[in-house]
Amino acid sequence: MSYLLGLTGSIGMGKSTTCALFAERGCITWDADLTVHRAYGIGGAAVEPFSKILPQVIVKQQINREKLRQVISENESILPHIEAIIHPLVRRDRQNFISANPSSILVFDIPLLFELNAQADFDAVACVFLEPKVQKERVMARPGMTKSYFEMILKKQLPASEKAARSDYVINTATPRTAVIAVDTILKNIRRKLRNA
């Protein structure tokens, strides 16, 4: 039986870096964003359904993320249609991953874990967290990021403080050291639980 740890947090708060810390310590990790990337790529499971509702975003047999971002920015009402395609594909991939990795500590990097009401799917949830000012600086430094797109993403997500309050563990990512200490403490706690199970 595997132990399933959901890892979440708002954009720019350090989920990917934190997920890598868990991997370095022997956990097997699954990344929701990478799963979406695969679905958008050539031969990806999302390409055909997208070609029916948004043919303009298909370029060279794959979904062009820049064009998709532009379409969403211009018409947010398309989002539920996109999510209706993507969310079931991602869920199926996650289930396959769990089946393929028995008897392990599995860590799932899922930005919208609470928004999708998926917390019950995990044995525990950890949330990365840092001050909103630092979050904004990190996100705005990303290539192609605009203030309006950042604000739209924040609107889609629960406030970071609420995510942290609803989680079993909170990982302060203000510095690499605070993140390492938190990850080590969480794994010590999980391994103790597994020994006593």
Side-chain angles (χ1 to χ4, degrees):
M1 191 70 173
S2 297
Y3 188 94
L4 313 183
L5 178 68
L7 178 67
T8 195
S10 294
I11 182 172
M13 290 203 170
K15 277 184 311 304
S16 300
T17 306
T18 304
C19 202
L21 292 175
F22 280 106
E24 285 164 16
R25 286 152 180 76
C27 301
I28 304 174
T29 62
W30 179 90
D31 185 318
D33 286 344
L34 281 180
T35 304
V36 172
H37 273 281
R38 279 198 307 274
Y40 284 177
I42 294 171
V47 177
E48 192 191 339
F50 265 68
S51 68
K52 291 173 181 159
I53 64 161
L54 290 170
Q56 69 272 38
V57 305
I58 310 294
V59 178
K60 295 180 181 170
Q61 300 174 312
Q62 58 190 320
I63 295 162
N64 182 294
R65 294 176 77 89
E66 204 49 57
K67 283 185 181 291
L68 182 61
R69 185 185 292 184
Q70 192 182 338
V71 168
I72 293 168
S73 294
E74 289 166 4
N75 179 14
E76 284 183 44
S77 66
I78 197 73
L79 262 177
H81 302 286
I82 292 169
E83 288 166 352
I85 293 168
I86 286 296
H87 290 167
L89 294 175
V90 171
R91 249 192 321 273
R92 191 159 59 243
D93 190 89
R94 195 173 84 210
Q95 283 310 124
N96 292 341
F97 171 81
I98 293 167
S99 302
N101 292 288
S103 307
S104 310
I105 297 175
L106 306 181
V107 179
F108 299 82
D109 180 344
I110 306 177
L112 299 177
L113 189 148
F114 286 116
E115 290 83 350
L116 296 171
N117 210 24
Q119 59 271 27
D121 296 344
F122 302 95
D123 296 302
V125 174
C127 178
V128 296
F129 188 81
L130 81 163
E131 292 304 311
K133 181 176 175 287
V134 183
Q135 174 197 23
K136 186 174 183 181
E137 285 167 7
R138 286 185 184 179
V139 175
M140 292 312 295
R142 293 180 180 182
M145 183 56 67
T146 63
K147 189 167 178 284
S148 62
Y149 194 73
F150 174 49
E151 284 167 359
M152 191 194 77
I153 291 169
L154 285 183
K155 258 195 331 198
K156 262 176 46 185
Q157 298 186 346
L158 285 173
S161 55
E162 188 177 333
K163 289 188 182 200
R166 291 173 65 179
S167 297
D168 302 284
Y169 304 105
V170 176
I171 301 168
N172 181 335
T173 57
T175 69
R177 181 165 164 70
T178 57
V180 164
I181 290 168
V183 167
D184 286 341
T185 303
I186 291 166
L187 286 176
K188 197 171 162 188
N189 186 279
I190 289 171
R191 286 176 177 136
R192 189 172 62 240
K193 282 180 185 173
L194 291 174
R195 277 196 305 272
N196 298 334

